[in-house]
Amino acid sequence: MITEAKLNVYKDYRGDGDFWARIGLKRDKAIMEDGDFYLIDSLLQDIELVKRGLVSEKFAETVDKKLLANCDNAETIVLLKSMARKE
């Protein structure tokens, strides 16, 4: 489950899961798992595709469902969406 705390760790390591794995602090590793980095990466990529208008309406709906299923609350979804690039 993606939480605001996990997104903060993700941002602290600039989304670099290898960097986190190599030199991550114990407290950060207590919050995140490898799978969390991959999930956040995947969700950000999907959100970026939706923001750019490069996907079908059905795919956009699937992304919304994935966000609801994988984020702990609406605030986390908003934060995740704000992290996605539009360019």
Side-chain angles (χ1 to χ4, degrees):
M1 185 68 55
I2 302 303
T3 64
E4 183 177 348
K6 289 179 181 182
L7 292 178
N8 288 331
V9 170
Y10 183 90
K11 288 191 291 188
D12 288 344
Y13 292 90
R14 295 180 183 96
D16 188 337
D18 289 333
F19 183 58
W20 168 82
R22 284 185 275 118
I23 67 158
L25 301 173
K26 274 188 174 183
R27 69 167 190 240
D28 294 335
K29 290 186 177 187
I31 295 170
M32 294 278 283
E33 296 179 0
D34 289 340
D36 295 323
F37 264 94
Y38 300 125
L39 179 57
I40 293 169
D41 281 339
S42 175
L43 291 170
L44 286 172
Q45 181 180 7
D46 289 348
I47 293 166
E48 289 169 11
L49 291 171
V50 171
K51 280 185 170 184
R52 293 178 189 172
L54 300 174
V55 298
S56 68
E57 187 176 320
K58 183 170 178 127
F59 184 86
E61 290 171 7
T62 302
V63 172
D64 286 337
K65 289 177 185 175
K66 282 172 58 175
L67 289 168
L68 289 170
N70 290 291
C71 294
D72 66 338
N73 59 47
E75 290 80 18
T76 301
I77 293 171
V78 169
L79 180 57
L80 189 58
K81 286 182 175 182
S82 73
M83 291 169 58
R85 297 176 302 221
K86 185 174 181 181
E87 304 167 1

